[in-house]
């Protein structure tokens, strides 16, 4: 028997009570028994997003939400800044170009966070830029960009909006959507929301809705205005992912029972223990600054192939983590601690990492990283 | 206790063994344990679609598949015929217009099937028309359009493609994708595929791929070429709806065990029993011709509100059926017998219909429709 552990940065494990909620018999989304469920989920999503605005619920994976966050707000020829510090920053650029948007790309070295001053200067130089696209947490590198600082720059501008890919951020660390002025926030179901992949969620500010009034890109399935109209009638424009919404109801109840501050504190503690454990084991964190609390990206030690670490975690120990993408392939491996994660997931991840790296011939003292994490994961006396 | 029966034309009931398959712990779509599952599902989808071509798997509801079936093949200014004989025919027109396509709409009275000759003439008059969009089964009216006859018209044309919305048709009645020359066939998960909503499936012919090479509409999330490239590596372009695919594996095994001919025969028998039962009870079928085997649309009897029948089915008897849409609201009600349906679902539907209609004061002999259906649902001696 090889017991399986899913410690990849999405999909993440789904709690058994959520799997059971989703396994309930199918109900019809236009029948009255769906109404209170959808109404509850809508309210609790606003709570989770820290917004007074509607949170649109789309049947698609996160990328569909990202596409809508371009096509609903910009027209061909419009200008946007895309902050590209990894695989998902690059995706903003690709989507924008697909929709005819002129991209001013701010490239950030993989492993670093964007310097908000660069965004401020670019916006000053060209005030016709309509939107700034960024990741709150860049999953390919494990770095968090400073969305609050970016919002402080974009918020005072009359028309420009800040669009945040929060797919591995929302429900992990604090993102004050309304208070900071994050105009569009996108997330997906399969990360901190502890659900299978298949839904995206998007909040939209009044400022962004004003921009949407002028946008001319074709949007039919991802038509945010039509979704908002339907949501306000407690419906969706097209058939929603019903069983996912049954699971979401359960997830949001779990998160509310824990409390937002506690959810963030749990993720912060787990992430800190993971990072300190990695360092105490003699390994190196890949991020040069601002590590995301969603996942930890570890640099493969000298002479060891990162892909081999990823493979041995799986084959020898039943742990699904993630390797590096593009030019990071073989150079890093990534371990998630977001969503349905607690201290023993971190301890398991560190123990297995130590064992795999030692098994590959790199000198490591077993228990060194685990011990350091244990110290941080004990209740405060 | 009010036991619930889901007899709406989608979502349809999900078999318990499929719900359980979907409730298995989450796995990662890039991990090796997903590979054989996805490979099996890909092969079995080809079997179900009766095609040698790849069947694309998208995380979205059916409308997302329909959008992709427009944006991937046509450019702004291109011409298309949309056959509009109901709510979903109308949706083809709306999607085409959203993407800048010049629509030649062939309007068909609700309750009737398109006359293929009208399509032949329109294509003769304007050979620059690049695509014909149709429903195999128009869910709003319960009518099946004759896709074989349409294919016979479109197939000989060098460049024009036939695009079939088979969302309430595939897995219900015979659609010989390759043999007839159905260039693009779209279906959704929540109908005869007996899954929750949240996935769309699309097959694409070589002729359609050649058209796709010239198309200029923006498609990122629904980029069929990118999906095909990924499928051929046994992957999807973006994160797939993993738990749905686990359920799909089970569904396709069930359908294969039953056999395609038996699946179609079962639906045909159920549909015939339902229609004969409705007539024997003294009620009228709404379709004037070519009723779909997926669902039966019944005209509300003189002086009885169709919405009230729909409501009483639900409130008094726990049955979720469907009312009429748009101008049919109050005039018809619709009952599905597709997917996870057997003879006692039809008998339940007929019994409840008789009881509700009688309860609303319309003279009906209880058991008259049920009895007729029973005759048809007994094993042949």
């Amino acid at each position: 028997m090889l017991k399986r552990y899913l410690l990849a940065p999405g999909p993440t494990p789904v709690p058994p009570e959520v799997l059971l909620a989703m396994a309930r018999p199918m109900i019809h989304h236009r029948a009255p028994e769906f109404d209170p469920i959808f109404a509850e989920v809508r309210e609790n999503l606003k709570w989770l997003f820290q917004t007074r605005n509607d949170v649109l619920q789309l049947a698609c994976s996160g990328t569909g939400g990202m596409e809508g966050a371009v096509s609903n707000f910009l027209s061909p020829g419009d200008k946007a800044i895309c902050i590209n510090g990894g695989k998902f920053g690059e995706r903003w650029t690709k989507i924008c170009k697909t929709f005819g948007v002129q991209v001013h790309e701010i490239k950030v070295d993989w492993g670093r966070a964007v310097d908000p001053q660069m965004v401020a200067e670019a916006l000053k130089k060209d005030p016709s830029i309509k939107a700034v696209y960024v990741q709150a947490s860049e999953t390919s590198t494990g770095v968090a960009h400073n969305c609050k600082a970016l919002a402080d720059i974009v918020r005072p501008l009359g028309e420009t909006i800040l669009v945040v890919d929060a797919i591995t951020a929302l429900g992990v660390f604090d993102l004050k959507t309304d208070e900071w002025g994050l105009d569009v926030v996108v997330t997906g179901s399969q990360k901190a929301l502890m659900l299978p992949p298949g839904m995206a969620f998007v909040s939209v500010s009044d400022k962004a809705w004003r921009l949407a009034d002028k946008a001319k890109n074709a949007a039919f399935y991802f038509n945010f205005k039509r979704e908002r109209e339907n949501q306000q009638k407690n419906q969706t424009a097209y058939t929603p992912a019903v069983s996912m919404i049954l699971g979401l109801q359960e997830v949001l109840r779990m998160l509310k029972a824990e409390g937002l501050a506690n959810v963030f504190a749990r993720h912060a503690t787990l992430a800190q223990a993971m990072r300190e454990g990695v360092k105490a084991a003699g390994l190196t964190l890949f991020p040069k600054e601002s590590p995301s609390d969603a996942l930890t990206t570890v640099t493969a030690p000298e002479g060891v192939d990162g892909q081999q670490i990823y493979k041995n975690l799986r084959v020898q120990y039943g742990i699904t983590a993630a390797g590096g993408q593009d030019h990071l392939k073989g150079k890093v491996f990534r371990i998630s601690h977001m969503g349905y994660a607690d201290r023993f997931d971190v301890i398991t991840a560190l123990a297995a990492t130590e064992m795999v790296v030692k098994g590959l011939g790199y000198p490591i003292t077993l228990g060194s990283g685990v011990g350091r994490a244990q110290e941080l994961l004990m209740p405060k006396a």
Side-chain angles (χ1 to χ4, degrees), chain A:
Chain A
M1 184 195 81
L2 191 64
K3 203 164 158 184
R4 300 245 166 231
Y5 297 86
L6 181 55
L7 299 176
T12 63
V14 180
E17 47 271 61
V18 176
L19 290 171
L20 286 175
M22 294 182 56
R24 297 202 316 252
M26 184 53 43
I27 58 172
H28 197 281
H29 57 290
R30 309 278 184 205
E33 56 266 37
F34 188 68
D35 289 347
I37 298 167
F38 198 59
E40 176 184 327
V41 160
R42 286 174 56 214
E43 274 314 297
N44 286 348
L45 278 174
K46 290 183 191 184
W47 165 82
L48 180 66
F49 272 72
Q50 304 188 55
T51 183
R52 283 175 307 272
N53 296 311
D54 288 309
V55 178
L56 309 180
Q57 300 182 48
L58 307 167
C60 60
S61 65
T63 303
M66 291 174 75
E67 167 169 327
V70 172
S71 62
N72 282 274
F73 302 110
L74 300 180
S75 308
D78 279 353
K79 290 178 194 167
I81 290 173
C82 292
I83 295 167
N84 177 355
K87 194 79 186 154
F88 293 93
E90 188 184 82
R91 184 163 295 176
W92 277 135
T93 298
K94 284 186 182 171
I95 297 173
C96 281
K97 287 186 176 168
T98 300
F99 286 92
V101 173
Q102 285 187 51
V103 177
H104 177 92
E105 196 174 63
I106 297 185
K107 283 226 179 191
V108 179
D109 284 344
W110 288 37
R112 292 207 173 269
V114 68
D115 173 5
Q117 262 327 104
M118 289 183 69
V119 177
E121 278 157 32
L123 287 167
K124 207 173 200 178
K125 214 179 276 178
D126 188 349
S128 70
I129 289 168
K130 291 209 170 146
V132 177
Y133 289 88
V134 70
Q135 271 63 40
S137 169
E138 168 58 64
T139 319
S140 63
T141 62
V143 167
H145 293 300
N146 186 344
C147 289
K148 183 174 188 310
L150 293 171
D152 286 342
I153 291 162
V154 176
R155 198 178 50 248
L157 305 177
E159 289 212 312
T160 310
I161 62 168
L162 177 62
V163 182
V164 178
D165 163 5
I167 293 175
T168 56
L170 198 103
V172 176
F173 51 83
D174 203 10
L175 287 175
K176 296 190 191 297
T177 301
D178 287 0
E179 190 181 318
W180 297 353
L182 311 177
D183 293 298
V184 180
V185 177
V186 181
T187 198
S189 53
Q190 78 277 23
K191 311 282 185 172
L193 265 70
M194 307 186 281
L195 287 164
M199 282 189 80
F201 307 94
V202 188
S203 71
V204 181
S205 72
D206 290 339
K207 192 181 179 185
W209 283 122
R210 286 194 294 273
L211 192 57
D213 284 333
K214 298 176 203 161
K216 282 189 192 70
N217 261 303
F220 190 88
Y221 186 72
F222 300 121
N223 186 313
F224 286 2
K225 275 193 212 168
R226 201 174 297 144
E227 284 299 337
R228 179 174 59 167
E229 279 165 32
N230 276 274
Q231 285 245 356
Q232 289 173 352
K233 293 180 271 183
N234 206 38
Q235 280 292 340
T236 52
Y238 310 112
T239 309
V242 175
S243 56
M244 296 279 293
I245 291 173
L246 296 177
L248 180 60
Q249 181 185 35
E250 187 64 31
V251 161
L252 290 167
R253 284 178 182 181
M254 288 170 69
L255 292 173
K256 280 198 91 166
E258 187 175 2
L260 213 43
N262 291 330
V263 170
F264 298 151
R266 171 168 55 85
H267 282 97
T269 302
L270 296 180
Q272 195 208 358
M274 185 71 194
R275 292 191 291 259
E276 292 298 315
V278 164
K279 290 191 280 182
L283 300 173
T284 309
L285 300 172
F286 176 72
K288 305 285 173 295
E289 59 193 329
S290 189
S292 167
D293 285 347
L295 72 156
T296 295
T297 306
V298 185
T299 304
E302 190 74 35
V304 179
D305 176 12
Q307 283 305 95
Q308 200 58 50
I309 296 173
Y310 157 73
K311 278 179 199 155
N312 287 6
L313 281 169
R314 179 167 46 70
V315 176
Q316 299 180 335
Y317 298 101
I319 292 174
T320 301
Q325 293 170 289
D326 291 354
H327 69 269
L328 289 188
K329 198 161 188 167
K331 295 196 179 133
V332 302
F333 58 100
R334 296 173 296 149
I335 292 175
S336 158
H337 26 72
M338 77 181 131
Y340 190 54
D342 84 345
R343 65 192 90 197
F344 296 106
D345 293 306
V346 164
I347 285 172
T348 296
L350 283 168
T353 300
E354 290 176 2
M355 287 144 83
V356 164
V357 172
K358 189 181 179 78
L360 288 168
Y362 189 81
I364 212 162
T365 306
L366 293 179
S368 54
V370 171
R372 176 67 185 120
Q374 284 173 287
E375 281 173 27
L376 295 165
L377 292 169
M378 286 175 69
K380 303 278 181 288

